[in-house]
Amino acid sequence: MNRPDKEFSSIPTNIITGFLGVGKTSAIKHLLKQKPTNERWAVLVNEFGEIGVDGYLFKEDQRKNQDIFIQEVPGGCMCCASNLPMQVALNKLLKRANPHRLLIEPTGLGHPIEVMELLSNQFYKNVLSIKKTITLVDARQLADERYLNHQTYNQQIDIADIIVGNKSDFYQDSDRSRLMEFVSTKEKKPELVHFTEYGKMPLAWLDGEAQHSIS
């Protein structure tokens, strides 16, 4: 397994996950706008497919702010095979940015527990400090049984410290109650369930240790 070339220590690291189309990119862009001016932030974004749309959008922020560093893991997903593409991209990003904070956006089809396992292994244990995992959902999807029974969808809920019901301006009251009921059935319950629009989240949600990290 590849190690980071440079010595880093306890970089606050957040996974921002969620199924396809829930607004993860908008949420991260909103967080980047709140970045303290004296900090360098790094974003590792996973692309599924040939066109790096998320990476392209993030690079607009990078051009405006030289303290934001973006690295893509193109094609497939971070949790596939030996995680080698993710390791290479992550090590390159850490070396280039030496960040005060790292945000990781897996593809909506990826398994965040496998990503967490990589970030928590012996090579990154002292390099990264795993902070709260935020899972974005579109509560309207819970009316469809296919989401309720989807392994990845459930894993994203299970690993969440904070669940954000995004696009809430389109919800009915039943959508909100359905999400709260679904979360209540989970063995591992999040600290907070919040409803928002356009991925708007306060910066303070990134702080605090992840409850569901891999030991």
Side-chain angles (χ1 to χ4, degrees):
M1 183 176 293
N2 293 340
R3 297 172 180 264
D5 291 333
K6 187 175 179 179
E7 292 297 325
F8 302 98
S9 178
S10 301
I11 299 168
T13 301
N14 300 88
I15 297 175
I16 312 293
T17 189
F19 219 62
L20 298 170
V22 296
K24 298 187 298 296
T25 299
S26 296
I28 294 179
K29 286 175 69 67
H30 182 72
L31 291 170
L32 291 177
K33 291 178 181 178
Q34 303 175 68
K35 181 190 73 66
T37 56
N38 62 334
E39 290 187 3
R40 295 180 306 278
W41 281 25
V43 182
L44 185 66
V45 56
N46 193 187
E47 290 301 338
F48 191 86
E50 296 179 357
I51 301 175
V53 177
D54 285 357
Y56 176 79
L57 292 174
F58 287 139
K59 284 173 183 175
E60 179 183 346
D61 291 301
Q62 189 174 18
R63 285 191 293 268
K64 294 177 181 177
N65 190 331
Q66 295 184 355
D67 290 330
I68 295 174
F69 298 82
I70 314 297
Q71 186 73 43
E72 296 178 58
V73 183
C77 68
M78 292 180 181
C79 60
C80 293
S82 65
N83 297 101
L84 185 58
M86 179 182 173
Q87 295 172 55
V88 172
L90 176 56
N91 293 349
K92 184 184 299 184
L93 179 60
L94 294 177
K95 182 177 180 180
R96 180 163 58 98
N98 188 17
H100 295 93
R101 183 175 295 277
L102 170 66
L103 303 179
I104 296 181
E105 181 199 345
T107 174
L109 298 176
H111 299 88
I113 289 179
E114 282 81 353
V115 175
M116 181 74 78
E117 287 175 345
L118 172 64
L119 299 178
S120 304
N121 72 26
Q122 59 179 320
F123 298 107
Y124 292 108
K125 185 175 182 179
N126 296 322
V127 174
L128 306 177
S129 176
I130 308 300
K131 302 302 182 182
K132 291 178 181 177
T133 296
I134 299 176
T135 297
L136 280 83
V137 300
D138 184 339
R140 295 173 296 174
Q141 296 172 337
L142 291 170
D144 188 335
E145 288 287 334
R146 292 175 297 178
Y147 288 91
L148 296 176
N149 298 320
H150 198 287
Q151 181 183 12
T152 300
Y153 191 89
N154 279 274
Q155 190 182 105
Q156 292 169 349
I157 298 291
D158 291 339
I159 203 172
D161 295 296
I162 297 175
I163 292 177
V164 178
N166 196 29
K167 304 184 178 182
S168 63
D169 47 327
F170 296 108
Y171 292 179
Q172 303 293 327
D173 289 342
S174 58
D175 296 319
R176 295 171 181 263
S177 60
R178 193 177 289 113
L179 176 59
M180 298 301 295
E181 181 179 354
F182 182 61
V183 170
S184 72
T185 67
K186 295 295 185 178
E187 181 180 353
K188 295 181 178 180
K189 294 178 175 58
E191 297 177 19
L192 175 69
V193 178
H194 183 81
F195 296 93
T196 192
E197 305 169 7
Y198 309 109
K200 294 180 179 178
M201 302 186 295
L203 201 60
W205 285 2
L206 298 179
D207 295 326
E209 300 301 316
Q211 291 190 20
H212 303 153
S213 60
I214 307 299
S215 58

